[in-house]
Amino acid sequence: MSPAILVVDDERAIGIAIQRLLVARGYEVETALSGEEALEKVASRAYQLVITDLNLKGSTGMDVLRAAKEGSPETAVIMITAYGSEKIAVEAMKAGAADYLPKPFDNDELELVVERVLEGVTLRRDLKLLRQQVAERHGLERLVGKSNAMTRVFDVIRKVADTDLTVLIRGPSGTGKELVADAIHYRSPRRDRPLVKVNCAAFSRELVESELFGHEKGAFTGATATREGKFEVADGGTLLLDEIGDMALETQAKILRVLQERELERVGGNRTIKVDVRILAATNQDLEAKVRDGTFRQDLYYRLNVVAVILPALRERLEDLPALIETFLAAAASRLRRPSRRLAGPAYRALLAHDWPGNVRELEHALEQAVALASGEEIELDDLPGAVRGGSEPDAGRDQEPPGSFKDAKQRVIERFERQFITDALARHQGNISKAAEDMGMYRQHLQLKLAEYGIDPGVYRG
Ligand SMILES: Nc1ncnc2c1ncn2[C@@H]1O[C@H](COP(=O)(O)OP(=O)(O)OP(=O)(O)O)[C@@H](O)[C@H]1O
Ligand SMILES: [Mg+2]
């Protein structure tokens, strides 16, 4: 698709000369002979580029510039100015012109300016597209869950995203705190500015300050150049203070000042720098307890805890499991280029029975491993990591088996069959061990040994 260009000049000969030149270069070019005609044209379609003389009869090139920008902000405008009118040219640039061409100019000059300006148009369009894609990939849609707790989380995110309110995102490890931060930023008016994430736990006290506030050259040994801190980098955007509960008290005091005054000094510097940053903070720690025992500043706590988003542990919202499982299975299958498989009953029950200390992250990894290992029609219990299968078997067990050994393969088939046989009987008898044992013609004690061996929890089948 060749870019559409409009050339506006009330001297017919000049307009046509420019048109010929650009058409020969493969552009699609229209002309307008007056300001009025130009205004009509820019109102009726979006041009990538408008080249207009500043001095037109009736209206001026500035009117054309404004109308073109109003109709489509992405349209670039090149202003042709009379010799000696640099001042007006500067004005045009301020009003949004991409460049100007002082008369007289030759063909090469014109071509060069047009090429450069159109390149800028393409770059800006690509950037816009990229930003849209990033925003879509980090939107609220990424967060899966239908439980009351998650519904509340979505609700809060929707309500606060377009404000500048500070949000404290809380929840155990792997519950999606970072996803929440993404969703807030990419739904906010700051979405085209950076979302900067700092892990407050990952740096020593000295480093965290230079990391956050930047440093001047020579501020300390190793500071060979001046560096902007995360606050400055995030200017106009959002700063996520991740693992805020692990921040040293001394740093807490400094952060507090920046949050209150919205200004800072770089380490080793004395110039005050103003920043416009929306703050998000995340932690898996009990901040209230930390305030009580004096390891977290109360004033900072109040500053951060303006709006709270609370993500409960996965075991407290097992209703979210089915949707999460479906999402992660599909994602892993497409990522690993595997056929999509369903979970076999026992595998599914093991997921329901598991305690999920690592929450959603653990689930995601478990299913990824299962998708990678599964070879049958369905994903079997054996394809899940040992920790999820029932805990008693070390995960490394199956990996240490020599691959391709017939005896091991046979053993695995037997085990798999036996496990299935047992869990099916338990399911038929609602987890009643005596009845299940009787049904299978086994001694109750023998079944109990098998349950321990396979890490099967009969409680899962009750009720
Ligand atoms: N509700 C959810 N829907 C979909 N994916 C989720 C959800 N919650 C978490 N995840 C996924 O789980 C993983 C962990 O999420 P995230 O990094 O946001 O957790 P976190 O709470 O920041 O953990 P940590 O405290 O360890 O930093 C990510 O891969 C994320 O995509
Ligand atoms: Mg995190």
Side-chain angles (χ1 to χ4, degrees):
M1 196 190 71
S2 66
I5 302 178
L6 177 67
V7 178
V8 190
D9 205 308
D10 48 11
E11 273 182 65
R12 179 172 222 113
I14 295 183
I16 287 177
I18 297 178
Q19 182 183 34
R20 283 225 180 95
L21 180 77
L22 294 178
V23 166
R25 290 282 165 274
Y27 299 118
E28 185 203 330
V29 187
E30 291 178 22
T31 55
L33 277 172
S34 68
E36 286 72 43
E37 195 186 345
L39 294 186
E40 267 169 41
K41 289 206 151 166
V42 297
S44 67
R45 89 174 263 199
Y47 297 90
Q48 268 89 345
L49 174 62
V50 174
I51 304 172
T52 178
D53 200 308
L54 179 65
N55 299 308
L56 300 167
K57 287 184 214 93
S59 53
T60 76
M62 290 298 268
D63 298 327
V64 176
L65 165 67
R66 273 187 284 268
K69 285 275 168 198
E70 206 180 277
S72 118
E74 270 108 81
T75 299
V77 178
I78 297 173
M79 196 64 81
I80 297 172
T81 54
Y83 176 76
S85 54
E86 279 79 9
K87 238 180 119 180
I88 305 178
V90 169
E91 211 117 295
M93 298 290 282
K94 275 193 197 153
D99 210 338
Y100 69 96
L101 256 178
K103 278 195 244 187
F105 53 85
D106 60 29
N107 291 353
D108 287 346
E109 279 174 296
L110 174 70
E111 262 177 59
L112 205 71
V113 171
V114 167
E115 236 169 70
R116 201 179 50 221
V117 167
L118 282 176
E119 203 173 82
V121 171
T122 311
L123 279 177
R124 272 190 298 279
R125 201 189 44 215
D126 289 353
L127 182 65
K128 197 175 153 195
L129 219 89
L130 271 177
R131 278 185 174 145
Q132 264 168 14
Q133 286 170 353
V134 169
E136 274 159 27
R137 228 169 284 157
H138 293 89
L140 203 52
E141 302 71 29
R142 278 270 318 271
L143 279 159
V144 175
K146 293 197 174 72
S147 58
N148 288 337
M150 286 309 288
T151 310
R152 253 196 315 278
V153 166
F154 295 140
D155 199 38
V156 177
I157 294 175
R158 284 201 194 89
K159 281 185 182 138
V160 300
D162 66 354
T163 70
D164 268 347
L165 291 174
T166 301
V167 182
L168 181 59
I169 307 161
R170 313 186 60 167
S173 176
T175 46
K177 296 186 290 296
E178 200 169 326
L179 287 192
V180 170
D182 288 343
I184 294 175
H185 173 75
Y186 287 105
R187 285 180 80 89
S188 81
R190 295 171 176 266
R191 74 179 71 87
D192 288 339
R193 305 286 307 153
L195 165 62
V196 178
K197 302 172 180 178
V198 230
N199 184 343
C200 303
F203 301 100
S204 66
R205 198 174 60 214
E206 298 75 35
L207 269 183
V208 84
E209 279 165 32
S210 115
E211 194 64 27
L212 288 171
F213 311 130
H215 61 247
E216 297 291 346
K217 184 175 171 175
F220 46 84
T221 30
T224 49
T226 296
R227 206 176 135 209
E228 286 191 333
K230 301 287 190 195
F231 271 100
E232 276 178 81
V233 177
D235 194 30
T238 307
L239 181 66
L240 169 65
L241 299 169
D242 208 354
E243 320 284 358
I244 187 86
D246 297 301
M247 184 178 271
L249 267 172
E250 205 176 306
T251 316
Q252 291 175 27
K254 301 205 168 153
I255 279 269
L256 184 67
R257 206 207 116 203
V258 183
L259 298 192
Q260 279 164 344
E261 320 283 337
R262 302 282 155 171
E263 55 184 42
L264 56 87
E265 282 104 41
R266 295 189 186 132
V267 175
N270 43 24
R271 190 162 59 90
T272 301
I273 298 166
K274 288 222 165 284
V275 285
D276 164 28
V277 173
R278 196 251 183 100
I279 302 290
L280 306 175
T283 184
N284 55 14
Q285 303 230 18
D286 183 349
L287 284 189
E288 290 77 10
K290 294 200 75 143
V291 168
R292 277 195 302 276
D293 72 20
T295 51
F296 201 85
R297 290 181 66 111
Q298 187 167 36
D299 42 12
L300 180 59
Y301 170 78
Y302 286 129
R303 261 285 143 191
L304 295 174
N305 197 20
V306 178
V307 177
V309 169
I310 295 168
L311 295 159
L314 184 54
R315 80 179 80 87
E316 286 160 33
R317 47 181 167 107
L318 289 179
E319 336 60 300
D320 288 341
L321 262 182
L324 284 167
I325 290 172
E326 196 182 317
T327 307
F328 291 146
L329 281 183
S334 104
R335 204 165 41 236
L336 301 168
R337 294 195 195 125
R338 294 294 157 93
S340 57
R341 293 186 168 90
R342 287 160 32 92
L343 281 168
Y348 192 71
R349 284 191 288 272
L351 295 183
L352 286 178
H354 187 56
D355 200 38
W356 300 113
N359 294 296
V360 186
R361 178 183 291 119
E362 189 190 1
L363 174 68
E364 191 175 11
H365 289 168
L367 291 174
E368 177 153 54
Q369 166 176 333
V371 168
L373 294 183
S375 52
E377 242 170 64
E378 297 188 316
I379 293 170
E380 303 291 343
L381 188 59
D382 261 5
D383 300 321
L384 295 171
V388 176
R389 256 180 283 158
S392 53
E393 309 154 75
D395 192 19
R398 65 180 286 157
D399 298 335
Q400 282 161 3
E401 289 166 10
S405 141
F406 175 69
K407 203 172 144 230
D408 289 331
K410 187 175 153 201
Q411 186 60 32
R412 276 224 299 273
V413 171
I414 292 171
E415 280 179 14
R416 190 176 281 199
F417 175 79
E418 195 170 51
R419 189 195 292 271
Q420 181 81 52
F421 187 56
I422 293 170
T423 50
D424 286 352
L426 282 170
R428 271 198 306 279
H429 297 284
Q430 283 83 43
N432 183 318
I433 297 177
S434 308
K435 283 190 182 157
E438 195 187 310
D439 192 356
M440 290 183 284
M442 275 167 100
Y443 288 115
R444 187 193 142 86
Q445 289 85 345
H446 188 196
L447 176 55
Q448 267 168 334
L449 281 178
K450 284 285 173 194
L451 293 182
E453 186 188 328
Y454 289 129
I456 299 170
D457 173 8
V460 180
Y461 305 94
R462 286 195 195 116

